[in-house]
Amino acid sequence: MAAWGQRLAGVRGVLLDISGVLFDGAEGSGVPIAGSVEAVARLKRSRLKVRFCTNESQKSLGDLVRLLQQLGFDISEGEVTAPAPATCLILKERGLRPYLLIHDGIRSEFDQIDTSNPNCVVIADAGESFSYQNMNKAFQVLMELENPVLISLGKGRYYKETSGLMLDVGAYVKALEYACGIEAEVVGKPSPEYFKSALQEMGLEAHQAVMIGDDIVGDVGGAQQCGMRALQVRTGKFRARGHQPVSP
Amino acid sequence: MAAWGQRLAGVRGVLLDISGVLFDGAEGSGVPIAGSVEAVARLKRSRLKVRFCTNESQKSLGDLVRLLQQLGFDISEGEVTAPAPATCLILKERGLRPYLLIHDGIRSEFDQIDTSNPNCVVIADAGESFSYQNMNKAFQVLMELENPVLISLGKGRYYKETSGLMLDVGAYVKALEYACGIEAEVVGKPSPEYFKSALQEMGLEAHQAVMIGDDIVGDVGGAQQCGMRALQVRTGKFRARGHQPVSP
C-alpha cells in the first residue's frame, strides 16, 4: 500500500459523511464517535476545504445541524449538502406534486410544496412511518400514473443507530420498484449529481477531493465513480465480515 | 390464434389459482368473481382433474377453504396446494427455527415449529404486520447469521382486494434481499417445485395440464417454465395496460 502522503497527493478538500462517521444516531439524539469532534476541528484549522455530505432524511437540515452543534461539532447549515432541498428544486422545476412517504422530522422541508392530487411519490428514510398502510398508499399512487415517478432521498441499505442496525430507505425503494416494475430516481448519494453539486460548492475538481464515509456503496463507490478518492471508516455501519453491501 | 380445441389438445387437468380467479378478497371475507362458482362446478362435473393452487399466506388453509365454501365453491382442503405446509416440511428437514414475519391469520400453520433463537426468517403476505418494527427485526435476525436464510411464501408483487391493489410479499422480500445482499428461497408459485408437487398430486405430466391464473409471472410464467400450458384471466390483478409485471 502506498504511503498516505502519496495516496492523498493533491487533495485540497474533504467531504465528510455525517451518520456513522461523526456520530451514531438514536431517536432524536446521538453520540459522537470517539475522536470525531476533534478531527473536524483539526480539518477546519488545516488548509483543506471541508464539506458535510449526508443522505439524512429523517431530520430537517436545521434540526440535524443543531444536534451536531450540541454534540460539540463546528458545523453550520451552509456547509452541508443534503438531499431534501435538492428534491424540492426538482419538484418545482418539473411541476411534480408528491405523495410524501417521509419521516415527520423532515416534513417541514416540504412546506412550500403542493401535495394535492399527487402525480409522483417522494420516499425518504421514513422510519416508523414505513407502515403497510403508507407503503400501500405510495404504491397505489404510482400504479394510477401513466408514467410513474418515484424520487428517493438516497438509496442506503441500512444504517446504525445506538440500538442496532436499521433498515434504510433503499430497502423500501426496492419494494416499490419491484411491485410497480419501475426504477426510482435517486437524489443524494450515490448519484453523481449529488457529488458534483458538493464539489461545486467547494470550488474543487473531483481529483482534488476525498470522500470519507462508512458506506462502501453510497459513499465510497459513489465518490469513486465521480473521479474522487474515497476512504471507508471502520465506524457506523462498517462490518469487517458478513453481508457488507458490495454493489449498488 | 389456433382454435381452443387445438390449443388445449391433450389437456387432462386444470390448475386454478384462487385469489383473483375464483374471488376477490377483502379483510376476512371476499366476493366471488362472476361465473366462477359455476365454472368450478362444471369443471368438476367434466372428465378433467382439478386442483387449486394458491400462494395464499394470510389465512390458514382451513380458513381459506371454509371461506370459499361459504361463497358457494365446491372445494376441500385436500384439493389445495398451498405454501405454508410445504414450508413447515422444509423447516423441519433442515432444522430451521424461523422468525415469522407473517399474518396472524396463518400463524396456526406454524404451531408445531420451534421459533426460539431464530436461525432463519420466514416471510409471507403479512399485511398490516409489515410494520417497520417487524421488518427491522427480520433484518436484524438475518444480519446476525453467518449464512442468512430467508424463505418466502410466494414472491407476488401485488394482489387485488375489493378496496384496491395491495402490496404483496414479493415487495418486502426485495427489501430484505437488498438490505442484506442475499437472495430468498421461494416456496410457492412461481417455483418449479411448487408446480411439480401439484402435478404429482394430480397424477399428471406437465404437458397434460393447464394453469389458470391472474398473475402473468407467478401463475402463467411459472407454469410455462415447467412445461405446462397457461391462461391468464382478465380478473383479479389483471390490467390491460400499464405496469403489468413482465419478469419475475
Side-chain angles (χ1 to χ4, degrees):
Chain A
M1 188 188 285
W4 281 106
Q6 242 175 301
R7 291 166 65 92
L8 296 177
V11 163
R12 292 184 46 209
V14 176
L15 293 81
L16 289 171
D17 179 28
I18 293 180
S19 173
V21 174
L22 302 191
F23 82 122
D24 283 323
E27 188 63 40
S29 69
V31 190
I33 289 168
S36 61
V37 170
E38 173 55 16
V40 170
R42 281 182 64 189
L43 279 172
K44 292 190 127 186
R45 286 195 305 267
S46 78
R47 57 170 185 81
L48 293 167
K49 293 184 182 184
V50 177
R51 188 151 189 93
F52 302 93
C53 294
T54 180
N55 272 1
E56 172 65 46
S57 60
Q58 277 207 354
K59 295 180 190 68
S60 71
L61 183 52
D63 287 346
L64 175 66
V65 167
R66 262 186 301 281
L67 170 61
L68 289 166
Q69 288 170 341
Q70 282 162 13
L71 296 178
F73 289 100
D74 175 5
I75 185 171
S76 64
E77 285 191 36
E79 295 172 308
V80 182
T81 302
T87 303
C88 289
L89 281 179
I90 291 171
L91 294 171
K92 283 178 185 163
E93 273 170 21
R94 289 164 53 184
L96 291 169
R97 301 178 306 274
Y99 170 73
L100 295 169
L101 183 46
I102 62 176
H103 197 280
D104 281 341
I106 204 173
R107 206 163 281 274
S108 63
E109 298 269 10
F110 296 89
D111 273 352
Q112 303 305 313
I113 299 293
D114 178 6
T115 56
S116 63
N117 188 21
N119 60 3
C120 79
V121 168
V122 166
I123 186 170
D125 175 17
E128 298 292 338
S129 295
F130 279 133
S131 64
Y132 185 65
Q133 199 183 5
N134 289 346
M135 279 291 285
N136 229 15
K137 170 71 182 167
F139 166 65
Q140 289 166 354
V141 166
L142 291 169
M143 291 295 274
E144 285 298 317
L145 298 171
E146 187 86 29
N147 296 302
V149 173
L150 173 61
I151 296 177
S152 168
L153 276 67
K155 207 172 178 179
R157 291 166 189 246
Y158 57 86
Y159 55 92
K160 194 184 166 204
E161 290 217 332
T162 47
S163 59
L165 298 180
M166 310 292 277
L167 283 173
D168 199 358
V169 61
Y172 286 90
V173 169
K174 283 286 165 188
L176 291 176
E177 286 182 335
Y178 176 72
C180 302
I182 60 171
E183 200 167 328
E185 303 174 28
V186 179
V187 181
K189 299 176 282 186
S191 98
E193 288 73 22
Y194 178 94
F195 289 107
K196 281 177 199 158
S197 145
L199 286 169
Q200 224 164 24
E201 297 277 353
M202 302 170 83
L204 294 181
E205 303 288 325
H207 70 273
Q208 298 173 310
V210 59
M211 171 77 211
I212 298 178
D214 65 335
D215 191 313
I216 194 72
V217 177
D219 298 322
V220 175
Q224 287 176 338
Q225 277 180 0
C226 288
M228 296 164 63
R229 278 165 277 189
L231 289 173
Q232 186 183 23
V233 293
R234 290 173 176 260
T235 50
K237 78 186 71 173
F238 174 82
R239 304 169 88 226
R241 62 156 188 85
H243 322 294
Q244 186 77 14
V246 290
S247 64
Chain B
M1 188 188 282
W4 281 106
Q6 241 176 303
R7 292 165 67 90
L8 296 177
V11 163
R12 292 184 45 208
V14 176
L15 293 82
L16 290 171
D17 179 27
I18 293 180
S19 173
V21 173
L22 302 192
F23 82 123
D24 283 323
E27 189 63 42
S29 69
V31 190
I33 289 167
S36 61
V37 170
E38 172 55 17
V40 169
R42 281 182 64 187
L43 279 172
K44 291 190 129 186
R45 285 195 306 266
S46 78
R47 54 168 188 80
L48 294 166
K49 294 186 181 184
V50 176
R51 192 156 186 90
F52 302 93
C53 295
T54 180
N55 271 1
E56 172 63 48
S57 61
Q58 276 206 356
K59 295 179 190 68
S60 72
L61 184 50
D63 287 345
L64 175 65
V65 167
R66 259 187 301 282
L67 170 61
L68 289 166
Q69 287 169 342
Q70 281 162 14
L71 296 179
F73 289 98
D74 174 7
I75 186 171
S76 64
E77 285 193 36
E79 296 172 306
V80 182
T81 302
T87 303
C88 289
L89 282 179
I90 292 171
L91 294 171
K92 284 178 184 163
E93 274 170 21
R94 289 163 55 183
L96 291 170
R97 301 178 305 276
Y99 170 72
L100 295 170
L101 182 46
I102 62 177
H103 196 279
D104 281 341
I106 204 172
R107 205 163 282 274
S108 62
E109 298 268 11
F110 296 89
D111 273 353
Q112 305 304 315
I113 300 293
D114 179 7
T115 57
S116 64
N117 188 23
N119 61 3
C120 79
V121 168
V122 166
I123 186 170
D125 175 17
E128 297 292 336
S129 295
F130 279 132
S131 64
Y132 185 66
Q133 199 183 4
N134 289 346
M135 280 290 286
N136 229 15
K137 171 69 182 170
F139 167 65
Q140 289 166 353
V141 166
L142 290 169
M143 291 295 275
E144 285 300 317
L145 299 171
E146 187 85 30
N147 296 304
V149 174
L150 173 60
I151 295 176
S152 169
L153 277 66
K155 208 173 180 181
R157 292 164 188 245
Y158 57 86
Y159 54 92
K160 193 183 166 207
E161 291 217 332
T162 46
S163 60
L165 298 179
M166 310 291 280
L167 283 173
D168 198 359
V169 61
Y172 287 89
V173 169
K174 282 286 164 186
L176 291 175
E177 286 182 336
Y178 177 73
C180 301
I182 61 172
E183 200 166 329
E185 303 174 29
V186 179
V187 181
K189 299 176 286 185
S191 99
E193 288 74 20
Y194 177 93
F195 288 107
K196 281 178 200 156
S197 144
L199 286 169
Q200 225 164 24
E201 297 278 353
M202 301 171 83
L204 294 182
E205 302 289 324
H207 69 274
Q208 299 173 309
V210 58
M211 172 77 209
I212 299 178
D214 64 334
D215 190 314
I216 193 73
V217 177
D219 298 320
V220 175
Q224 287 177 338
Q225 277 180 1
C226 287
M228 296 164 63
R229 279 165 276 187
L231 290 173
Q232 186 183 23
V233 293
R234 290 174 176 260
T235 51
K237 78 185 72 173
F238 175 82
R239 303 169 88 227
R241 61 160 190 84
H243 323 295
Q244 186 76 11
V246 289
S247 62

